[in-house]
Amino acid sequence: MNTLPPLPGPLPAPVPDPRAHDVVADYAGMHALVADLVLPGDASMYVMSAMETSRELIRHSYYRYEFATVAVTHSLYALEHVLAERLAVNKPLQDLIERAVDAGLITAGLAAGLDRGRLLRDQLTQGAVTSATLGPARATDMVRAVFDAVSLLLRPPAAAEATAAGTSGPQPEDQLARLREEHRRAPFPASFRAVDIEGVSLVLLDADINGLVQRELNGGLDDRGIATLWACIADLDKTVPLINEEYCAAYFARLRTMAKLAAARYLPTAT
């Protein structure tokens, strides 16, 4: 028996969230915003459901701004599932992304975009940010990275590896040079210039890795440079998860991708 009282009348129409007004003029504009988030036809029902929900959360963030941030975190369910299935290993998302780059399944540039979503999820879990952190436009960019990665990972192995590793696309050296140039143009997070995390100076870490990457691009590292690079990567792995500001976290996530791409041809040496 239904014991709920009858509704007093028709439900009111949803009210647009004023925080979305600087993104689109009206709800119809949200359709154009997510138009290129196309679901891969060969995904499982679980993956399709997670990705479609992510897209619709962005669309409906016109009425509830926080849905945009939730869309990014929800899309990671699909990403993590596809990565684990493709790599045949059950590991944390950060490790899965790194393994996918190492295997040539996704590019380092795409991995940097995925890692920004992972960092956001971790910060939400830690209470370092709120669900109002992202607006619809930025959330769309981060969810698009997931859509691109999932589509790539679902391709037959030969086709995916050719696209990611570069039969006709950029070689690792080109990826590193592009990331280095992108990073060079990005301003250092101003409020973190004098900040140390776990005893690591972020300014010095940034300068050290930039110098090492430039040396790698100019001809390669010697044994001392390789050892220093791996030590810097260890510092990044320790500090990046603790950064609680989005721009700074993304800045150092890109730096970590650069460092690992530069180190990919070397085995760690004793320090």
Side-chain angles (χ1 to χ4, degrees):
M1 178 182 295
N2 184 3
T3 59
L4 292 175
L7 293 173
L11 292 173
V15 178
D17 193 313
R19 293 170 291 179
H21 288 173
D22 61 344
V23 181
V24 294
D26 52 28
Y27 181 62
M30 299 300 293
H31 306 324
L33 188 66
V34 300
D36 64 339
L37 299 181
V38 179
L39 298 171
D42 49 353
S44 67
M45 287 301 296
Y46 173 85
V47 172
M48 291 277 282
S49 175
M51 295 176 72
E52 184 174 23
T53 299
S54 313
R55 185 186 63 194
E56 295 310 304
L57 281 166
I58 294 176
R59 197 194 307 268
H60 288 89
S61 66
Y62 179 78
Y63 296 109
R64 182 65 182 181
Y65 193 81
E66 284 80 0
F67 286 176
T69 297
V70 178
V72 175
T73 61
H74 198 83
S75 71
L76 297 181
Y77 296 143
L79 175 66
E80 193 161 4
H81 181 85
V82 172
L83 280 170
E85 192 171 69
R86 182 63 187 273
L87 295 167
V89 64
N90 185 20
K91 295 288 184 179
L93 181 56
Q94 177 182 347
D95 190 64
L96 290 172
I97 293 171
E98 292 171 358
R99 285 171 181 250
V101 174
D102 293 342
L105 298 177
I106 59 175
T107 65
L110 181 56
L114 300 174
D115 210 41
R116 284 193 282 273
R118 180 193 64 80
L119 286 167
L120 173 65
R121 183 188 66 180
D122 291 349
Q123 291 165 354
L124 283 165
T125 302
Q126 297 157 8
V129 298
T130 72
S131 295
T133 297
L134 294 181
R138 291 169 64 199
T140 301
D141 289 340
M142 295 173 77
V143 170
R144 184 180 295 111
V146 173
F147 271 63
D148 291 346
V150 168
S151 295
L152 190 60
L153 290 162
L154 288 175
R155 294 181 186 180
E161 289 167 15
T163 302
T167 303
S168 58
Q171 298 299 313
E173 294 81 2
D174 297 329
Q175 297 173 24
L176 181 59
R178 180 179 57 77
L179 277 177
R180 170 70 180 87
E181 180 60 20
E182 179 184 331
H183 193 78
R184 187 185 68 81
R185 294 175 180 274
F188 187 91
S191 60
F192 286 81
R193 288 196 178 279
V195 172
D196 290 6
I197 297 179
E198 294 289 312
V200 177
S201 167
L202 296 186
V203 167
L204 293 179
L205 184 60
D206 183 46
D208 287 346
I209 293 176
N210 271 290
L212 290 164
V213 167
Q214 193 59 56
R215 284 165 55 192
E216 171 65 14
L217 290 171
N218 289 342
L221 298 172
D222 57 18
D223 287 345
R224 183 176 179 181
I226 295 167
T228 303
L229 180 60
W230 281 103
C232 288
I233 290 172
D235 284 341
L236 283 167
D237 288 343
K238 177 172 62 174
T239 57
V240 169
L242 302 177
I243 298 174
N244 59 5
E245 194 274 327
E246 185 189 359
Y247 176 77
C248 186
Y251 182 94
F252 278 91
R254 179 177 56 236
L255 188 70
R256 180 168 58 182
T257 300
M258 285 169 46
K260 291 192 174 182
L261 192 59
R265 59 184 290 191
Y266 303 110
L267 290 174
T269 57
T271 57

